[in-house]
Amino acid sequence: MLVVGIILCYLLGLSLLLLISRKNTLAEMVGYSFLLGMGVETLLLFLLDIINLRYSAGLLTGLNVFGIIIINGLNYKNLLALKNEYKAPAFELKQLNLVATALFVFMAYLFYGITVKNLFWPASAHDAIGSFDKLGKVMAIEGKLKISLFDYKLEGAGGVYPPLFHASLAYVYIFGAETGKIVTSLFFLSLLTSFYSVLRVYVDATAAALFTLLLMISPELMSHAALSLDNLPTTAYVGPGALATFAWLDKRDRKYFWLGAILTGFAVWIRSDTVVFTAAALLVIGIDFLRSRNLKDAIIYAAIIVAPFIVWALYLKFKIHFADAAKFDFSIGYNTGRMDMMMGYISAYLFGGHYRGVDGGQLYGITFILFFVMILANLGLIYRFGARYILLDKMYVLVFFFAAFVLYFVVFYFINEQVQNAPLYSLMESSFKRGLFCFIPIVLFYSCTNYASSMVFEKIEKFRSAL
Amino acid sequence: MAKQQQRKQTVQSKKHEAPKKGDDLFTYLWHNLAVLGALGVVFLFFSQKFSDSHRMNELTEKFYQLRSQNPNSPELRDLYNEIIPLQQKVYSDTSFFTRITRGYDWAVNDLTLGNLKNIDKVKEEIQRNREDSTEQSYLEARLKRKIGLYSLFKYVNDNTPKNAVILLPEGDSAVSNTSKWNFIYDAEWSEYFLYPRLCVAIGDEKDHPDLAKRATHVIIIEGKGYDKLKYNVPAQLRQQEAVLPIDTPPAWLRVER
């Protein structure tokens, strides 16, 4: 039964993807189908809760089949065209990129390894047991989003988080899963394949595979591929959402406009603190509006990415009756001790340093260091190619990264430790550290596709393809 | 004239047919293998760089395994002598390059591939103990190995009705602060195992007054929690770990009386 549920989720997502565009690569179909499908499934569970319909595998199967038929029915002209355009792939040894193939095989083996670990051990992380997995399990049993545990304040910290992650756990439990951790593996797979697919728009398969491997083995991120926590799934929405937005701004392929908007919208449907990425996305879309004067697109994009945040805030207020305590303490003002502590942690995480027992290099490896090195390398190229040319290259990525990071910093700087029930150092060593996952796909995307890297990869590719 | 034209055409067609560099399959493969070789060298470099660390981990695991089987084994001294220099070598390497690459080695070799070996060992053990006779027992076998308290929660669930409200032990100031008790004093955490029963920790009654009033059972840990009962349990009958109804003594206690 679980297999049926997962296939339905993929088919629903694939139907939506084909509705957005009929031209998709295999990596896009694997990556985006699950992200779109699971996002919609959780919206469905939310709506069923609103209209007081109890969840069941039968009801969800029926709704999925109905949804898939309707979407494909609306899209039948595109599907017919797709059928006519389809060509059986011809294999030629000379088209085989041996380097990329070797990297894929290695990644597949690593994915197998981490998935075996993930599926073998039941959920055991404190937050998974105290919150996410519990919410998912009880949602599946009680058949609603607002479970009875809310009445006794036993829902756990994740109870006030938007429902995408725990509702995705509920979805697989409804279809009879033994543990909900299968969704972690599927989110991880989707993150990797969608990341690869956007990189392929810019660079050759070798470079794309190499950077996908770097994303995959980012130590702290990879460790979460065997846990039932929401940080990796959040990255699976923030990363591909941001990258699709960049691809839209660069290439003007309509497909990326919709993917960027929908996935960034789902990012605040999984965690509300990702609103810093919503703000960064609004900033780059705003800049683009000033250049392109396309008000309609800007409004549609903004509406899609902001709506889930508002919907969840209303649900918390009117259905959960959540008393929103002051999450921020702006009376802190400028506090040297606080600032020094945060800067200490940040420099450890970003530049591979040590701070209060934290070894940043062990957690993120070369990820952020490479990003800053590439910025410097590009600045060095200004002399050769001119400032305008170099500065405009991937400008949106840099604006997005720095805007989101500054906001992210501000959120933690002003966070109310009493409401969070944790001191700042503890928040920096857990929440802040894990929140950095969302920046990894963005910085690796920049490191791979910037002007300096592209020049190097072009030369390697020219040699590899013997041209 | 015609011959000249023919020759020119032949030359032109030969020029046209002349293989480009990339058209040569051998060249293509050779260049691919060269790039692959370069990647392989990088891979080997890292593999070599962290080989001492892998060897140290392997020997340390062997050391503890041997010590648990036979603490007086003469082999322990040899292993110890081999581990110490390795340890000094590994821990003294604090270069920036090592620091920013060690995480990748950990992710690939320990987190992913190393765990495959560990899982195989656990599977063998579960099979040996015949804990995998049903899907449920197999799941429980893995839960027991991951959550130290799982057996206690199972015992509580087997001995309380589904509508019970259970008092959990007070925070780790009251019971030994060891990993044995995981987060038993954390009601949100324990609820995962006790649902549909409800729970509240001793000391947190103010935050959950409704639940505290409705409490029906208490979990006894390290012999603590008997003061919450409305009846007396003779000292000789007091167990270190138990779950007892708060209002009325359990049947076994009534029989003893």
Side-chain angles (χ1 to χ4, degrees):
Chain A
M1 204 54 187
L2 174 63
V3 177
V4 173
I6 289 172
I7 289 173
L8 283 172
C9 173
Y10 266 100
L11 286 179
L12 184 65
L14 182 62
S15 306
L16 278 170
L17 183 65
L18 291 172
L19 185 66
I20 291 169
S21 168
R22 70 169 185 268
K23 288 179 181 168
N24 299 291
T25 61
L26 179 65
E28 284 173 333
M29 286 195 268
V30 173
Y32 294 129
S33 294
F34 182 73
L35 295 176
L36 292 171
M38 194 47 94
V40 174
E41 299 293 359
T42 60
L43 278 176
L44 206 59
L45 293 178
F46 175 78
L47 292 173
L48 290 175
D49 178 86
I50 296 282
I51 58 173
N52 282 326
L53 262 180
R54 205 184 137 91
Y55 309 153
S56 70
L59 178 65
L60 285 177
T61 305
L63 287 173
N64 268 288
V65 171
F66 180 72
I68 291 164
I69 291 171
I70 293 288
I71 294 168
N72 288 313
L74 290 171
N75 196 30
Y76 80 99
K77 278 185 186 167
N78 254 331
L79 295 178
L80 287 176
L82 180 72
K83 191 184 144 203
N84 296 334
E85 286 165 8
Y86 178 77
K87 283 178 198 162
F91 176 77
E92 263 186 72
L93 191 57
K94 275 190 52 190
Q95 281 180 345
L96 184 67
N97 181 335
L98 289 181
V99 185
T101 308
L103 289 168
F104 288 138
V105 170
F106 185 50
M107 281 190 274
Y109 184 52
L110 291 180
F111 184 77
Y112 162 77
I114 199 74
T115 305
V116 167
K117 179 177 190 242
N118 181 39
L119 299 182
F120 182 76
W121 293 114
S124 62
H126 178 271
D127 288 354
I129 288 183
S131 196
F132 302 114
D133 204 55
K134 180 178 71 187
L135 288 165
K137 248 183 194 176
V138 179
M139 272 174 72
I141 294 168
E142 296 186 1
K144 57 186 178 180
L145 182 56
K146 196 201 166 191
I147 51 173
S148 61
L149 297 182
F150 280 101
D151 300 337
Y152 308 103
K153 294 183 195 163
L154 286 172
E155 73 280 4
V160 295
Y161 286 13
L164 201 157
F165 181 54
H166 53 263
S168 68
L169 293 169
Y171 179 82
V172 292
Y173 279 125
I174 290 167
F175 279 96
E178 187 187 64
T179 89
K181 288 175 81 187
I182 179 80
V183 294
T184 303
S185 295
L186 297 176
F187 277 124
F188 192 44
L189 179 67
S190 304
L191 170 65
L192 298 176
T193 46
S194 55
F195 179 75
Y196 173 81
S197 71
V198 182
L199 284 189
R200 280 295 281 124
V201 176
Y202 291 85
V203 293
D204 58 90
T206 314
L210 189 64
F211 273 78
T212 307
L213 176 65
L214 271 181
L215 171 69
M216 182 182 202
I217 59 173
S218 292
E220 187 66 5
L221 179 71
M222 196 173 191
S223 70
H224 277 240
L227 298 175
S228 194
L229 297 174
D230 67 337
N231 308 90
L232 187 146
T234 304
T235 310
Y237 281 100
V238 173
L243 267 47
T245 304
F246 303 148
W248 153 247
L249 295 171
D250 268 352
K251 311 285 179 187
R252 298 290 162 184
D253 181 345
R254 198 75 189 154
K255 173 172 78 176
Y256 293 114
F257 170 80
W258 292 110
L259 285 172
I262 296 170
L263 296 176
T264 308
F266 280 141
V268 278
W269 190 238
I270 195 165
R271 268 184 89 111
S272 294
D273 55 7
T274 53
V275 74
V276 299
F277 297 100
T278 309
L282 287 175
L283 178 66
V284 292
I285 289 293
I287 294 171
D288 180 63
F289 164 69
L290 293 176
R291 295 172 74 188
S292 68
R293 301 278 163 194
N294 189 340
L295 182 64
K296 192 181 151 197
D297 278 355
I299 288 177
I300 292 173
Y301 186 94
I304 293 174
I305 67 170
V306 171
F309 185 80
I310 296 169
V311 169
W312 183 248
L314 292 173
Y315 185 85
L316 277 182
K317 185 165 185 175
F318 295 110
K319 186 106 190 223
I320 305 271
H321 304 297
F322 174 63
D324 201 1
K327 285 178 191 161
F328 301 106
D329 179 6
F330 293 107
S331 67
I332 292 168
Y334 184 80
N335 181 316
T336 317
R338 204 172 170 89
M339 186 64 91
D340 286 350
M341 182 189 279
M342 285 192 70
M343 293 310 286
Y345 279 112
I346 288 171
S347 77
Y349 292 140
L350 300 192
F351 303 108
H354 270 286
Y355 186 73
R356 292 173 69 122
V358 166
D359 182 356
Q362 170 87 21
L363 300 171
Y364 296 109
I366 61 166
T367 308
F368 292 102
I369 298 166
L370 188 63
F371 173 66
F372 291 109
V373 167
M374 292 323 302
I375 290 176
L376 292 177
N378 279 283
L379 288 176
L381 287 178
I382 286 178
Y383 175 72
R384 196 171 157 193
F385 297 101
R388 190 180 157 78
Y389 191 71
I390 294 295
L391 292 178
L392 285 179
D393 176 50
K394 305 290 173 302
M395 183 196 73
Y396 288 123
V397 185
L398 295 177
V399 169
F400 186 97
F401 172 81
F402 286 109
F405 198 85
V406 167
L407 289 172
Y408 188 61
F409 178 89
V410 169
V411 164
F412 276 83
Y413 182 82
F414 286 110
I415 209 160
N416 191 330
E417 292 166 69
Q418 282 179 332
V419 172
Q420 295 293 327
N421 202 18
L424 184 64
Y425 76 85
S426 166
L427 292 169
M428 291 301 289
E429 287 177 17
S430 55
S431 308
F432 188 92
K433 179 185 77 177
R434 293 169 183 174
L436 286 179
F437 289 174
C438 295
F439 292 96
I440 297 178
I442 296 162
V443 296
L444 286 178
F445 172 78
Y446 179 81
S447 301
C448 181
T449 61
N450 68 76
Y451 197 75
S453 308
S454 300
M455 271 175 29
V456 175
F457 286 131
E458 262 172 37
K459 283 189 177 154
I460 295 173
E461 183 58 12
K462 206 172 166 188
F463 173 78
R464 188 204 62 80
S465 55
L467 283 172
Chain B
M1 185 72 181
K3 269 186 182 176
Q4 265 182 347
Q5 213 168 1
Q6 207 179 352
R7 198 180 297 155
K8 202 176 170 184
Q9 271 178 352
T10 320
V11 171
Q12 268 178 348
S13 76
K14 270 187 183 169
K15 252 186 188 172
H16 184 72
E17 281 169 14
K20 279 191 282 176
K21 209 177 161 192
D23 282 347
D24 180 353
L25 183 62
F26 178 75
T27 312
Y28 180 81
L29 289 176
W30 154 240
H31 281 208
N32 267 266
L33 290 173
V35 178
L36 201 54
L39 273 178
V41 168
V42 174
F43 183 80
L44 280 177
F45 169 75
F46 280 109
S47 168
Q48 188 60 35
K49 181 163 180 54
F50 295 103
S51 60
D52 284 341
S53 170
H54 298 160
R55 178 84 183 130
M56 184 186 81
N57 292 342
E58 204 179 295
L59 291 175
T60 309
E61 197 187 322
K62 204 172 163 187
F63 178 87
Y64 284 114
Q65 205 176 354
L66 197 63
R67 198 174 70 169
S68 67
Q69 288 162 358
N70 178 13
N72 300 319
S73 167
E75 238 185 287
L76 282 172
R77 173 55 58 185
D78 297 338
L79 278 171
Y80 180 81
N81 289 339
E82 212 177 332
I83 290 168
I84 293 301
L86 277 173
Q87 213 171 42
Q88 282 167 350
K89 201 173 164 190
V90 169
Y91 292 149
S92 64
D93 184 3
T94 55
S95 68
F96 182 67
F97 184 73
T98 303
R99 286 207 331 258
I100 59 168
T101 50
R102 196 170 39 209
Y104 294 114
D105 176 64
W106 171 79
V108 172
N109 288 306
D110 297 338
L111 178 72
T112 311
L113 308 181
N115 260 298
L116 282 177
K117 285 181 204 160
N118 287 345
I119 287 169
D120 283 342
K121 279 184 199 166
V122 177
K123 275 182 183 168
E124 271 174 35
E125 188 187 293
I126 289 175
Q127 217 170 4
R128 225 180 14 252
N129 298 346
R130 294 184 183 174
E131 293 173 279
D132 58 349
S133 53
T134 64
E135 272 184 34
Q136 183 60 26
S137 68
Y138 186 50
L139 176 65
E140 283 180 0
R142 286 173 287 157
L143 269 166
K144 273 181 209 165
R145 282 163 177 79
K146 208 69 181 170
I147 311 285
L149 276 175
Y150 181 74
S151 300
L152 177 72
F153 283 128
K154 194 170 184 307
Y155 166 78
V156 172
N157 287 339
D158 290 343
N159 289 282
T160 54
K162 284 187 175 175
N163 61 354
V165 178
I166 297 164
L167 277 181
L168 304 171
E170 204 171 351
D172 52 0
S173 58
V175 293
S176 304
N177 187 12
T178 65
S179 57
K180 183 183 173 188
W181 303 120
N182 295 110
F183 299 97
I184 193 166
Y185 49 84
D186 179 348
E188 288 172 359
W189 186 83
S190 295
E191 182 61 30
Y192 180 82
F193 302 99
L194 298 172
Y195 181 87
R197 296 151 195 83
L198 297 168
C199 57
V200 57
I202 296 171
D204 286 347
E205 291 95 336
K206 278 183 192 167
D207 297 334
H208 303 272
D210 295 348
L211 284 179
K213 263 186 232 165
R214 288 169 49 192
T216 57
H217 291 74
V218 62
I219 291 182
I220 308 287
I221 291 284
E222 294 183 345
K224 288 168 189 158
Y226 282 100
D227 56 320
K228 296 288 168 189
L229 302 177
K230 291 182 180 168
Y231 52 90
N232 182 46
V233 179
Q236 69 274 18
L237 293 177
R238 290 190 174 194
Q239 296 163 313
Q240 286 293 296
E241 291 161 27
V243 58
L244 294 171
I246 290 174
D247 293 325
T248 49
W252 61 266
L253 190 60
R254 287 195 294 261
V255 172
E256 290 285 341
R257 279 175 170 180

